[in-house]
Amino acid sequence: SKARKPRGVSVVLRFFCEDEVLISAQIRYSVPEEVQEGYVVGNIAKDLGLDVSRLGDRRFRIVSASKNGLFQVNQNNGVLYVDRKIDREEMCDNNSPCIVNLKIVVENPLEIHYVLVDITDVNDHTPTFPEKQQNLEIAENTLPGARFQLQSTRDPDLGVNSVRSYKLRQNEHFDLEIRDRGDEKVPFLVLQRALDRERKAKHELLLTSIDGGNPPKSGTLNVTVIVLDINDNRPVFSQEVYTAQLQENVAMGTIVIKVNATDLDEGSNGDVMYSLGSNLNRKIYDIFDLDNVSGEMRVKGNIDFENTDIYRLDVLASDKGTPPMTVDCRVIVKILDVNDNTPEIEVTSLSNVVPEDSKPGTVISLVNVLDNDSGVNGKVLCTLSSNIPFELKPSLQDNMYSLVTKNNLDRENTSLYEIKVTATDFGQPPLTAEKILSVQVSDVNDNSPEFSQNPIEIYLVENNAPGASIFSVSASDKDILENAAISYNILRGDSVQNDMSSFLNVHPEMGIIRSLKSFDFETIKKFQFQVLATDAGNPPLNGNVTVNVFILDQNDNVPVILYPVSANGSAEGVEEIPRNVNAGHLVTKVRAYDADIGYNGWLLFSMQEVSDHTLFGLDRYTGQIRTLRSFTETDEAQHKLVILVKDNGNVSLSATATVIIKVVEPKEAFAASDVKSTVKEEEENNVTFYLIITLGSVSVLFVISIIVLIVMQCSKSTDYSSKYLQDTNYDGTLCHSIQYRSGDKRYMLVGPRMSIGSTIVPGSNGNTLVVPDRRRRTSGEVRNEYVIGTVILYKIV
């Protein structure tokens, strides 16, 4: 068979077997790395002389390869092409040559062909240093000419594509020297000029490696030369004098200032240690602490502006070289005042007791305010509590005040003042102090004794026991102690109204009023006196009260029979009536009088003895005796009636009158009446005379009562405690009645004939009536209506 010669060298070997023919051949191709996918390496079918049209039927294929997947064959045309990007350095590292073995199989008949593909190098790699950075340490006292080896580059490419030269960026201290060591070029750094670390402690160099490709590629190495120090420099402070301001009372550990000293040397030669000077005051070491490494000065103890307002310290800085070098500086710390002192109030009291009649401006105390702070923190405003009659007067000296009275004092309103003095400074925030001053207001006799009620009305039952207490007065005085010690006495005058005061006595201390005599309602019904209350002040002050005494009636008078009265003065009389009188004929009328009033003077008539109850009747209220029926032939000619006259007091008093009635024939009765008329005229003249006297006396009392009532009406409020009135009694009986008011009720002491609408009050001893109080309210005002009765004296017939 014949074979077509491919690119490269091809060696064809044929082996013949008995059953089939085994044909083997070898072809070698060359392809550069980094070609694109699909790149045609060669036409194996053409180079082997195979029938291209039968490649598919004969299953033309690659069955093995040393590098799987890099190459593929086309069964349609037998072309070998690159199926994946090829990297020679990855496949073969630095081995040369780089061969890929392929095994091609064709069946019917079976043929095995070996294809060798040589991967050729291209300049696809840049020279690379093992590290991007190389540091060299060179002492600053190293002599010129010293050599220091640098890193060599690696370039995976081969031949002319590998590293060919090195280049160093120009500088003033170093040069580059290249030495060949076998197939490797090694760069060296050569010191050309002496180093000074304090001038330049670090040198940045750039080393470039260049390969021989076309175009050439290069890699760089950063070379840092660190100049090692020797102790040839002393520390230097950034400032010769440090100044700091610090507020007092700052917290422990507060940084005051940070000193800084630099040493151009390095390492231990440049390590600076700080310390306080040894010649300072010992208190400074208790107040400040200096960090020997950082140079920070912190507060260690209590900072008090009031003790020290400025501190001066010496600070040393030393390096760790051998021998060490030391420098010093001055630190000045100014302390700022803060408002940390509360004002103090000192009071110098001239007197804790002030008379209430002190004039405004009277000095009570001296007030001194202290504040240890300075500036505005030490300025203090002093004030007093509000609504008090005192004020502070500033003096010429700062923070000195006088506490003086501002207004008039009145012990009766306020006897003790708790004065709060407040001192506030002007700091931020302000501090405040308070102090309480107790000022006692002493009493002066500026208040007169006063009675709680004026006038006073007393209701006294007649027939009181002489020497017994009838009332007690009490006055109050707003003053205290002896200025409020009250004594009582009764004012006595020469007028008729004050004559009764001579029968009264008052206890000088207790105010108990006693009567020295027994009063008789029938003699005096009212009188008035004045009680004087005098305090023990100097000069003494006094007040008086008017006491109106109303005498209340008791049932102490027995009814007096006015008719019938015999010649010898006994209550006995004879009446003659004709026998032919009809029923209801007025036989006679028993007349009686009771000096008491009200129920005590309310008289009732009853028959105590009567000869014939069916013949005569007695009106229990008027005392009239009338016939109940006409006389008959069988009736007696003479009848005796005993009439009982009884008042209505709790303990009734009574009197009896005897009436003898003679029944005569009409002619005899007429003659007897003429004789009797003459006698009666004489008796009536005497009785009329006594009645006129009585009427005059009662009228005078009535006029006095009206005047008193008018005066009381004008001087009192509308709620009168009592009103005394006179009222008419029933016909034929002369008696008195009194109306008086207490609170919202009006009382009346009356006889048997009472006003319409009156009601008996239970529990009033049966002789007291309550008269409804008819009031008419108009426009918010209350008008009380009172009825003033009159005393009417009937002529007794």
Side-chain angles (χ1 to χ4, degrees), residues 655-714:
T656 59
T658 302
V659 178
I660 297 175
I661 301 174
K662 293 181 178 181
V663 180
V664 297
E665 295 301 327
K667 293 181 179 180
E668 296 177 1
F670 178 77
S673 62
D674 291 339
V675 176
K676 193 174 182 179
S677 175
T678 303
V679 176
K680 285 186 176 180
E681 285 181 1
E682 294 178 358
E683 292 179 353
E684 287 178 356
N685 289 335
N686 294 331
V687 172
T688 300
F689 174 75
Y690 293 114
L691 289 177
I692 291 174
I693 295 176
T694 302
L695 177 62
S697 301
V698 172
S699 299
V700 172
L701 291 175
F702 172 73
V703 172
I704 294 174
S705 299
I706 293 298
I707 294 174
V708 171
L709 288 175
I710 293 174
V711 172
M712 291 176 65
Q713 183 75 15
C714 295

Coordinates of all heavy atoms in Angstrom, one line a residue, residues 655-714:
A655 N -110.7 79.9 143.9 CA -111.5 80.7 144.9 C -113.0 80.3 144.7 O -113.4 79.9 143.6 CB -111.3 82.2 144.8
T656 N -113.8 80.5 145.7 CA -115.2 80.1 145.7 C -116.1 81.4 146.0 O -115.7 82.3 146.7 CB -115.6 79.0 146.6 OG1 -115.3 79.5 148.0 CG2 -114.8 77.8 146.3
A657 N -117.2 81.4 145.3 CA -118.2 82.4 145.5 C -119.6 81.7 145.8 O -119.9 80.8 145.1 CB -118.3 83.4 144.4
T658 N -120.3 82.3 146.7 CA -121.6 81.7 147.1 C -122.7 82.7 146.6 O -122.7 83.9 146.9 CB -121.8 81.5 148.6 OG1 -120.7 80.6 149.0 CG2 -123.1 80.9 148.9
V659 N -123.6 82.1 145.8 CA -124.8 82.9 145.3 C -126.0 82.2 145.8 O -126.3 81.1 145.6 CB -124.8 82.9 143.8 CG1 -126.0 83.7 143.3 CG2 -123.5 83.6 143.3
I660 N -126.8 83.1 146.5 CA -128.1 82.6 147.0 C -129.2 83.2 146.2 O -129.3 84.4 146.0 CB -128.3 83.0 148.5 CG1 -127.2 82.3 149.4 CG2 -129.7 82.6 149.0 CD1 -127.3 82.7 150.8
I661 N -130.0 82.4 145.5 CA -131.0 82.8 144.6 C -132.4 82.6 145.3 O -132.7 81.5 145.7 CB -131.0 82.1 143.3 CG1 -129.6 82.2 142.7 CG2 -132.1 82.5 142.3 CD1 -129.4 81.4 141.4
K662 N -133.1 83.7 145.4 CA -134.4 83.7 146.0 C -135.4 83.9 144.8 O -135.3 84.8 144.0 CB -134.6 84.8 147.0 CG -133.8 84.6 148.2 CD -134.0 85.7 149.3 CE -133.2 85.5 150.5 NZ -133.4 86.5 151.6
V663 N -136.4 83.0 144.9 CA -137.5 83.1 143.9 C -138.7 83.8 144.5 O -139.2 83.4 145.5 CB -137.9 81.7 143.4 CG1 -139.0 81.8 142.3 CG2 -136.7 80.9 142.9
V664 N -139.1 84.9 143.9 CA -140.1 85.8 144.5 C -141.2 86.0 143.4 O -141.0 85.7 142.2 CB -139.6 87.1 144.9 CG1 -138.6 86.9 146.0 CG2 -138.9 87.9 143.8
E665 N -142.3 86.5 143.9 CA -143.4 86.8 143.0 C -143.0 88.0 142.2 O -142.2 88.8 142.6 CB -144.7 87.0 143.8 CG -145.2 85.8 144.5 CD -145.5 84.6 143.6 OE1 -145.9 84.9 142.4 OE2 -145.2 83.5 144.0
P666 N -143.5 88.2 141.0 CA -143.1 89.3 140.1 C -143.2 90.7 140.8 O -142.3 91.5 140.6 CB -144.1 89.2 139.0 CG -144.5 87.7 138.9 CD -144.5 87.3 140.3
K667 N -144.3 91.0 141.6 CA -144.4 92.3 142.2 C -143.3 92.5 143.2 O -142.7 93.6 143.3 CB -145.7 92.5 142.9 CG -146.9 92.5 141.9 CD -148.2 92.7 142.6 CE -149.4 92.8 141.6 NZ -150.7 93.0 142.3
E668 N -143.0 91.6 144.0 CA -141.9 91.7 145.0 C -140.6 91.8 144.3 O -139.7 92.6 144.8 CB -141.9 90.4 145.9 CG -143.2 90.3 146.7 CD -143.2 89.0 147.5 OE1 -142.2 88.2 147.4 OE2 -144.2 88.7 148.2
A669 N -140.4 91.2 143.2 CA -139.2 91.2 142.5 C -138.9 92.6 142.0 O -137.8 93.1 142.0 CB -139.1 90.2 141.4
F670 N -140.0 93.3 141.5 CA -139.8 94.6 141.0 C -139.5 95.6 142.0 O -138.6 96.4 141.9 CB -141.2 95.0 140.3 CG -141.1 96.4 139.7 CD1 -140.4 96.6 138.5 CD2 -141.7 97.5 140.4 CE1 -140.4 97.9 138.0 CE2 -141.7 98.7 139.8 CZ -141.0 99.0 138.7
A671 N -140.1 95.5 143.2 CA -139.8 96.4 144.3 C -138.4 96.2 144.8 O -137.7 97.1 145.1 CB -140.8 96.3 145.4
A672 N -138.1 95.0 144.9 CA -136.8 94.7 145.4 C -135.7 95.1 144.4 O -134.6 95.5 144.8 CB -136.7 93.1 145.6
S673 N -136.0 95.2 143.2 CA -135.0 95.6 142.2 C -134.7 97.1 142.3 O -133.6 97.5 142.1 CB -135.5 95.2 140.8 OG -136.7 95.9 140.5
D674 N -135.7 97.8 142.7 CA -135.4 99.3 142.8 C -134.5 99.5 144.0 O -133.6 100.3 143.9 CB -136.8 100.0 143.1 CG -137.7 100.0 141.8 OD1 -137.1 99.8 140.7 OD2 -138.9 100.2 141.9
V675 N -134.8 98.8 145.1 CA -133.9 99.0 146.2 C -132.5 98.5 145.9 O -131.5 99.1 146.2 CB -134.5 98.2 147.5 CG1 -133.6 98.3 148.6 CG2 -135.8 98.8 147.8
K676 N -132.5 97.4 145.2 CA -131.2 96.8 144.9 C -130.4 97.7 144.0 O -129.2 97.7 144.0 CB -131.4 95.4 144.4 CG -130.2 94.6 144.3 CD -130.6 93.2 143.9 CE -129.4 92.3 143.9 NZ -129.7 90.9 143.5
S677 N -131.1 98.4 143.1 CA -130.5 99.2 142.1 C -129.7 100.3 142.7 O -128.6 100.7 142.4 CB -131.5 99.7 141.1 OG -130.9 100.6 140.2
T678 N -130.3 100.9 143.8 CA -129.6 102.0 144.5 C -128.4 101.5 145.1 O -127.3 102.1 145.1 CB -130.6 102.6 145.5 OG1 -131.8 103.0 144.9 CG2 -130.0 103.7 146.2
V679 N -128.4 100.3 145.7 CA -127.2 99.8 146.4 C -126.2 99.5 145.4 O -125.0 99.7 145.6 CB -127.6 98.5 147.2 CG1 -126.4 97.9 147.8 CG2 -128.7 98.8 148.3
K680 N -126.6 98.9 144.3 CA -125.6 98.5 143.3 C -124.9 99.7 142.7 O -123.7 99.7 142.3 CB -126.3 97.7 142.1 CG -126.6 96.3 142.6 CD -127.1 95.5 141.4 CE -127.3 94.1 141.8 NZ -127.9 93.3 140.7
E681 N -125.6 100.8 142.5 CA -125.0 102.0 142.0 C -123.8 102.5 142.9 O -122.8 102.9 142.4 CB -126.0 103.2 141.8 CG -127.0 102.9 140.7 CD -128.0 104.0 140.5 OE1 -127.9 105.0 141.4 OE2 -128.8 104.0 139.6
E682 N -124.1 102.4 144.2 CA -123.0 102.8 145.1 C -121.8 101.8 145.0 O -120.6 102.3 144.9 CB -123.5 102.8 146.6 CG -124.6 103.9 146.8 CD -125.1 103.8 148.2 OE1 -124.7 102.9 149.0 OE2 -125.9 104.7 148.6
E683 N -122.1 100.6 144.9 CA -121.0 99.6 144.8 C -120.3 99.8 143.4 O -119.0 99.7 143.4 CB -121.6 98.2 144.9 CG -122.1 97.9 146.2 CD -122.7 96.5 146.3 OE1 -122.8 95.8 145.2 OE2 -123.0 96.0 147.4
E684 N -121.1 100.0 142.4 CA -120.4 100.2 141.1 C -119.6 101.4 141.1 O -118.5 101.4 140.4 CB -121.5 100.2 140.0 CG -122.1 98.9 139.8 CD -123.2 99.0 138.7 OE1 -123.4 100.1 138.2 OE2 -123.7 97.9 138.3
N685 N -119.9 102.5 141.8 CA -119.1 103.6 141.8 C -117.7 103.3 142.4 O -116.7 103.8 141.9 CB -119.8 104.8 142.5 CG -121.0 105.3 141.8 OD1 -121.0 105.2 140.5 ND2 -121.9 105.9 142.5
N686 N -117.7 102.5 143.4 CA -116.4 102.2 144.0 C -115.6 101.3 143.1 O -114.4 101.4 143.0 CB -116.7 101.4 145.4 CG -117.4 102.4 146.4 OD1 -117.1 103.6 146.4 ND2 -118.1 101.8 147.3
V687 N -116.3 100.3 142.5 CA -115.6 99.4 141.6 C -115.0 100.2 140.4 O -113.9 99.9 140.0 CB -116.5 98.3 141.2 CG1 -115.8 97.4 140.1 CG2 -116.9 97.4 142.4
T688 N -115.8 101.1 139.9 CA -115.4 101.9 138.7 C -114.1 102.7 139.1 O -113.2 102.8 138.3 CB -116.5 102.8 138.3 OG1 -117.6 102.0 137.9 CG2 -116.0 103.6 137.1
F689 N -114.0 103.2 140.3 CA -112.9 103.9 140.7 C -111.6 103.1 140.6 O -110.6 103.4 140.1 CB -113.1 104.5 142.1 CG -111.9 105.2 142.6 CD1 -111.5 106.5 142.2 CD2 -111.1 104.6 143.6 CE1 -110.4 107.1 142.7 CE2 -110.0 105.2 144.1 CZ -109.6 106.5 143.7
Y690 N -111.7 101.9 141.2 CA -110.6 101.0 141.2 C -110.2 100.5 139.8 O -109.0 100.3 139.4 CB -110.8 99.8 142.1 CG -111.0 100.1 143.6 CD1 -112.1 100.0 144.3 CD2 -109.8 100.6 144.3 CE1 -112.3 100.3 145.6 CE2 -109.9 100.9 145.6 CZ -111.1 100.8 146.3 OH -111.2 101.1 147.6
L691 N -111.2 100.3 139.0 CA -110.9 99.9 137.6 C -110.2 101.0 136.8 O -109.4 100.7 135.9 CB -112.2 99.5 136.9 CG -112.9 98.2 137.4 CD1 -114.2 97.9 136.6 CD2 -111.9 97.0 137.1
I692 N -110.6 102.2 137.0 CA -109.9 103.3 136.3 C -108.4 103.4 136.7 O -107.6 103.6 135.9 CB -110.6 104.7 136.7 CG1 -112.0 104.7 136.0 CG2 -109.8 105.9 136.2 CD1 -112.8 106.0 136.4
I693 N -108.2 103.2 138.0 CA -106.7 103.1 138.4 C -106.0 102.0 137.7 O -104.9 102.1 137.2 CB -106.6 103.0 140.0 CG1 -107.2 104.3 140.6 CG2 -105.2 102.8 140.4 CD1 -107.3 104.2 142.2
T694 N -106.7 100.8 137.7 CA -106.0 99.7 137.1 C -105.8 99.9 135.6 O -104.7 99.6 135.0 CB -106.9 98.4 137.3 OG1 -107.1 98.2 138.7 CG2 -106.2 97.2 136.7
L695 N -106.8 100.5 134.9 CA -106.7 100.8 133.5 C -105.6 101.7 133.2 O -104.8 101.5 132.3 CB -108.0 101.3 133.0 CG -108.1 101.7 131.5 CD1 -107.8 100.5 130.6 CD2 -109.4 102.4 131.1
G696 N -105.4 102.7 134.0 CA -104.3 103.7 133.8 C -102.9 103.0 134.0 O -102.0 103.2 133.2
S697 N -102.8 102.1 135.0 CA -101.5 101.4 135.2 C -101.2 100.5 134.0 O -100.1 100.5 133.5 CB -101.5 100.6 136.5 OG -101.8 101.5 137.6
V698 N -102.2 99.8 133.6 CA -102.0 98.9 132.5 C -101.7 99.6 131.2 O -100.8 99.2 130.4 CB -103.2 97.9 132.3 CG1 -103.1 97.1 131.0 CG2 -103.4 97.0 133.5
S699 N -102.3 100.8 131.0 CA -102.1 101.6 129.8 C -100.7 102.1 129.7 O -100.0 102.1 128.7 CB -103.1 102.7 129.7 OG -104.4 102.2 129.6
V700 N -100.2 102.5 130.9 CA -98.8 103.0 131.0 C -97.8 101.8 130.6 O -96.9 102.0 129.8 CB -98.5 103.5 132.4 CG1 -97.0 103.8 132.5 CG2 -99.2 104.8 132.6
L701 N -98.1 100.6 131.2 CA -97.2 99.5 130.9 C -97.3 99.1 129.4 O -96.3 98.8 128.7 CB -97.7 98.3 131.7 CG -97.4 98.4 133.2 CD1 -97.9 97.1 133.9 CD2 -95.9 98.4 133.4
F702 N -98.5 99.3 128.8 CA -98.7 99.0 127.4 C -97.9 99.9 126.5 O -97.2 99.5 125.6 CB -100.2 99.0 127.1 CG -100.4 98.9 125.6 CD1 -100.3 97.7 124.9 CD2 -100.8 100.0 124.8 CE1 -100.5 97.6 123.6 CE2 -101.1 99.9 123.5 CZ -100.9 98.6 122.9
V703 N -97.9 101.2 126.8 CA -97.2 102.2 126.1 C -95.7 101.9 126.1 O -95.0 102.0 125.1 CB -97.5 103.6 126.5 CG1 -96.6 104.7 125.9 CG2 -99.0 104.0 126.2
I704 N -95.2 101.6 127.4 CA -93.8 101.3 127.5 C -93.4 100.1 126.7 O -92.4 100.0 126.0 CB -93.5 101.1 129.0 CG1 -93.6 102.4 129.8 CG2 -92.0 100.5 129.2 CD1 -93.5 102.2 131.3
S705 N -94.3 99.1 126.7 CA -94.0 97.8 125.9 C -94.0 98.2 124.4 O -93.1 97.6 123.7 CB -95.1 96.8 126.2 OG -95.2 96.4 127.6
I706 N -94.9 99.0 124.0 CA -94.9 99.4 122.5 C -93.6 100.1 122.2 O -92.9 99.8 121.2 CB -96.1 100.3 122.2 CG1 -97.4 99.5 122.3 CG2 -95.9 100.8 120.8 CD1 -97.5 98.3 121.4
I707 N -93.1 101.0 123.0 CA -91.8 101.7 122.8 C -90.7 100.7 122.7 O -89.8 100.8 121.8 CB -91.6 102.8 123.8 CG1 -92.7 103.9 123.7 CG2 -90.2 103.4 123.7 CD1 -92.7 104.9 124.8
V708 N -90.6 99.8 123.7 CA -89.5 98.8 123.7 C -89.5 98.0 122.5 O -88.5 97.7 121.9 CB -89.7 98.0 125.0 CG1 -88.7 96.8 124.9 CG2 -89.4 98.8 126.2
L709 N -90.8 97.6 122.1 CA -90.8 96.7 120.9 C -90.4 97.5 119.6 O -89.7 96.9 118.8 CB -92.3 96.2 120.7 CG -92.8 95.2 121.7 CD1 -94.2 94.9 121.4 CD2 -91.9 93.9 121.5
I710 N -90.7 98.8 119.5 CA -90.3 99.5 118.4 C -88.8 99.7 118.4 O -88.1 99.5 117.3 CB -91.0 100.9 118.4 CG1 -92.5 100.7 118.1 CG2 -90.4 101.8 117.3 CD1 -93.3 102.0 118.3
V711 N -88.2 99.9 119.5 CA -86.7 100.1 119.6 C -86.0 98.8 119.2 O -85.1 98.7 118.5 CB -86.3 100.5 121.0 CG1 -84.8 100.5 121.2 CG2 -86.8 101.9 121.3
M712 N -86.6 97.7 119.8 CA -86.0 96.4 119.4 C -86.2 96.0 118.0 O -85.3 95.4 117.3 CB -86.7 95.3 120.3 CG -86.3 95.4 121.8 SD -87.2 94.1 122.8 CE -86.5 92.7 122.1
Q713 N -87.3 96.4 117.4 CA -87.5 96.2 116.0 C -86.5 96.9 115.1 O -86.1 96.4 114.1 CB -89.0 96.6 115.6 CG -89.3 96.3 114.2 CD -89.6 94.9 113.9 OE1 -89.8 94.2 114.9 NE2 -89.6 94.4 112.7
C714 N -86.1 98.1 115.5 CA -85.2 98.9 114.7 C -83.7 98.4 114.9 O -82.9 98.6 114.1 CB -85.3 100.4 115.1 SG -86.9 101.1 114.7

